[in-house]
Amino acid sequence: MKADEIKNQVKKSYGEIAKGKTQTGCCGDTACCETTTMQESYEHIEGYQKEADLALGCGLPTEIANIKIGDTVIDLGSGAGNDVFVARSIVGETGKVIGIDMTPEMVVRAIENNKKLGYQNVGFILGDIEEMTDVPNNIADVVVSNCVMNLVPNKEKAFLEIHRVLKEGGHFSISDIVYVGQLPENILEVAEMYAGCVSGASEKSAYLGIIKSAGFKNIQIKKERLITLPDELLLVYLSQEELELFKASSSGIYSITIYADKLEQGTCCDSSDDICCGVENKEGTTTSCCQKSSKQTNFCCN
């Protein structure tokens, strides 16, 4: 499918969800969809608004986002406002939260939800994550997103946009779907599932490579969870033989929550393996800047 076709399919699917015509975007209109959810429960999280929760996520990105009072936060693919309102409970009156979504019906629903809550420092924008033309450079302290980046056709462009809108020293926390190994071709190519969190997923190492190539450092997978899809769903797209081969393989679909920094200019970092200064490493020690080579390459040392 071409990028425009993918986006139109996603808009149609999520527009129907926003209007209450379908219950979830996990697998389009198939009956088995009701039994499949990738979302983690928000009910224990401060700021949670049930009316804004359409059960479309695959993680809890705000939990590890290190959002602070007064921060400016952008939520990509904000839907009905679920993560926006959670972030608003953290940034308080002095912060700002902006939700961006490309589905008009979702933006309308989010605005209606916010009117009921009366937040003056929350806003929703109709826009494309690949080209956030209404968002200035270096405006956000934190970017969050929940199971949306996998639906974006041009992920390289989207992560470059995230890097652009983040302040130097800012960071992102993104929950998303990736896969490991070889997934059956039918799952990746069926348009109905593309609008449902699986078919647009990238291979895990390739996904991390896109993030690194966009200029991010200190890339960490904070949480990883295997997604088990029911046989009755998979059999819509696979033969019984293909299903058995898939289940016997080491391939799988995972929900991951990733954290990464946009470092300030001049921050020391060992570019060979992204060990960033001031960050605790696996051994529990913290690196600090110590020297520059004649080629102006920054190094870190303990």
Side-chain angles (χ1 to χ4, degrees):
M1 294 178 68
K2 295 180 179 179
D4 287 345
E5 293 174 338
I6 292 169
K7 290 179 181 180
N8 288 335
Q9 176 68 28
V10 172
K11 287 179 184 179
K12 179 181 177 182
S13 178
Y14 284 90
E16 291 178 351
I17 295 167
K19 291 184 289 187
K21 292 184 177 180
T22 58
Q23 294 299 310
T24 175
C26 67
C27 51
D29 296 326
T30 57
C32 63
C33 197
E34 296 178 2
T35 67
T36 306
T37 180
M38 300 182 187
Q39 169 130 339
E40 294 186 54
S41 175
Y42 271 78
E43 293 188 1
H44 65 288
I45 296 181
E46 186 176 353
Y48 171 67
Q49 302 294 329
K50 188 174 181 179
E51 296 79 8
D53 184 7
L54 301 182
L56 298 173
C58 58
L60 301 171
T62 54
E63 274 196 326
I64 59 97
N66 295 330
I67 299 170
K68 299 179 178 61
I69 294 173
D71 275 353
T72 294
V73 179
I74 295 176
D75 177 23
L76 302 179
S78 48
N82 193 20
D83 287 301
V84 168
F85 300 133
V86 171
R88 168 58 178 77
S89 73
I90 304 172
V91 304
E93 296 290 341
T94 58
K96 184 177 183 180
V97 188
I98 303 165
I100 300 175
D101 202 288
M102 71 173 183
T103 304
E105 294 89 345
M106 282 293 184
V107 174
V108 169
R109 185 159 177 174
I111 291 171
E112 291 173 349
N113 286 333
N114 190 53
K115 284 181 180 178
K116 296 175 185 177
L117 295 169
Y119 293 142
Q120 300 300 309
N121 56 340
V122 165
F124 293 94
I125 298 173
L126 179 65
D128 193 325
I129 295 171
E130 294 177 7
E131 194 170 357
M132 293 183 274
T133 55
D134 292 328
V135 183
N137 297 345
N138 308 311
I139 190 175
D141 298 286
V142 183
V143 168
V144 298
S145 185
N146 195 348
C147 215
V148 171
M149 296 299 292
N150 59 297
L151 298 175
V152 176
N154 192 332
K155 295 173 179 59
E156 291 85 355
K157 193 173 182 181
F159 276 105
L160 285 171
E161 278 290 87
I162 294 171
H163 195 275
R164 178 184 67 80
V165 302
L166 276 169
K167 298 176 182 177
E168 292 184 350
H171 59 270
F172 74 68
S173 172
I174 291 176
S175 294
D176 210 355
I177 296 294
V178 297
Y179 67 89
V180 175
Q182 296 292 323
L183 288 186
E185 187 175 343
N186 288 347
I187 291 181
L188 292 176
E189 292 188 351
V190 175
E192 185 178 41
M193 285 199 70
Y194 201 109
C197 306
V198 175
S199 296
S202 296
E203 192 276 327
K204 180 181 172 182
S205 61
Y207 189 96
L208 296 175
I210 291 170
I211 295 171
K212 183 175 181 179
S213 66
F216 289 100
K217 304 295 182 182
N218 189 28
I219 302 166
Q220 304 174 43
I221 296 178
K222 292 288 191 176
K223 195 172 185 179
E224 185 167 347
R225 176 170 56 94
L226 177 66
I227 301 296
T228 303
L229 298 176
D231 289 357
E232 58 266 30
L233 170 59
L234 293 174
L235 285 171
V236 175
Y237 306 98
L238 307 176
S239 67
Q240 184 65 48
E241 182 180 359
E242 288 173 326
L243 174 61
E244 291 174 2
L245 288 172
F246 173 57
K247 293 176 71 174
S249 73
S250 59
S251 302
I253 301 166
Y254 290 83
S255 163
I256 59 174
T257 300
I258 303 175
Y259 173 101
D261 289 317
K262 176 181 176 178
L263 294 180
E264 296 179 18
Q265 292 293 326
T267 302
C268 293
C269 186
D270 184 343
S271 60
S272 64
D273 56 4
D274 285 344
I275 299 173
C276 298
C277 299
V279 177
E280 188 174 295
N281 61 29
K282 293 180 181 179
E283 288 72 35
T285 58
T286 303
T287 57
S288 59
C289 301
C290 60
Q291 62 178 324
K292 286 188 177 182
S293 72
S294 60
K295 295 182 179 181
Q296 300 298 308
T297 301
N298 293 326
F299 291 87
C300 295
C301 61
N302 292 328

